[in-house]
Amino acid sequence: MKKVIVLAVVAIMGTTVAVNAQKIGYINTNDLLMLMPETKKAQDKLKGLQDSLNVVYGELIKEYQEKDSIIRLDSSKWTPAIKQIRFKEFQDLADAVQQYSTTAQQYLQAKEQEIFAPVQKIALDAITAVAKANNFAYVVSREALLVVPTTDDLLPLVKKFLKIPETAAK
């Protein structure tokens, strides 16, 4: 009788463990994002912003270089008062160039987050839908894992879900 009870307890425990076992999948989100056509559009938009900011920066640098040349060539001919005014103007321009560079960098970083947020949301929504459809309880980043079984890689399933062709290059 004891054997039957022990076997029943072991069988119940084994069933409980099997029921509680949850699937864990993984995905390389960087690979997914690079394959998405939305990423290319976002990159192009960001590049356009960067190019327009670089035009203004280039104009500031050109003005800085011109003033620098003038100071190098003519400063020996100037009176101390004019020299002081010109050097102050030159320093102000140098400060403006530095300030523009810092402000433009901050602006680009903010715009990058704004532009890529919808792309990341599409990727996350697709990963979530594929995980749910395939009964994955957890999905972790591939970069966080050292050894993984290829059967738990969600990238092919998410690519199929997003209708990204298999031939899409990284």
Side-chain angles (χ1 to χ4, degrees):
M1 184 69 173
K2 274 187 173 181
K3 282 185 178 182
V4 173
I5 293 173
V6 170
L7 285 175
V9 169
V10 169
I12 290 172
M13 287 177 57
T15 304
T16 304
V17 170
V19 169
N20 287 334
Q22 297 177 337
K23 287 175 69 175
I24 299 174
Y26 65 89
I27 189 164
N28 185 325
T29 53
N30 290 333
D31 285 353
L32 174 61
L33 289 171
M34 294 312 295
L35 292 169
M36 294 173 62
E38 294 87 352
T39 299
K40 174 74 171 120
K41 292 174 188 170
Q43 287 172 332
D44 291 345
K45 187 173 183 178
L46 191 64
K47 175 100 172 76
L49 285 171
Q50 187 173 21
D51 290 346
S52 65
L53 292 172
N54 284 342
V55 167
V56 175
Y57 185 70
E59 291 169 359
L60 285 171
I61 292 295
K62 183 179 177 186
E63 183 181 350
Y64 178 85
Q65 290 170 339
E66 288 171 357
K67 284 198 185 269
D68 182 50
S69 294
I70 291 170
I71 287 174
R72 288 177 191 266
L73 292 174
D74 298 341
S75 65
S76 61
K77 302 174 199 168
W78 295 338
T79 65
I82 291 189
K83 205 180 261 190
Q84 183 179 5
I85 291 169
R86 298 286 185 203
F87 279 116
K88 172 75 168 109
E89 288 173 351
F90 184 68
Q91 184 58 48
D92 290 347
L93 181 58
D95 293 343
V97 169
Q98 182 61 43
Q99 180 62 37
Y100 181 83
S101 177
T102 302
T103 303
Q105 193 65 27
Q106 291 169 345
Y107 175 79
L108 270 179
Q109 288 173 347
K111 280 307 218 181
E112 181 178 20
Q113 291 174 350
E114 179 184 318
I115 290 169
F116 280 96
V119 179
Q120 292 168 336
K121 182 173 180 354
I122 291 168
L124 181 59
D125 290 348
I127 293 168
T128 302
V130 167
K132 186 175 182 179
N134 292 280
N135 298 317
F136 283 93
Y138 301 97
V139 178
V140 295
S141 173
R142 169 61 180 103
E143 295 84 2
L145 304 170
L146 298 175
V147 179
V148 293
T150 57
T151 56
D152 294 337
D153 186 0
L154 270 65
L155 184 59
L157 298 172
V158 175
K159 283 173 40 180
K160 185 176 180 181
F161 180 84
L162 291 173
K163 297 178 177 75
I164 297 172
E166 283 298 317
T167 58
K170 287 187 180 181

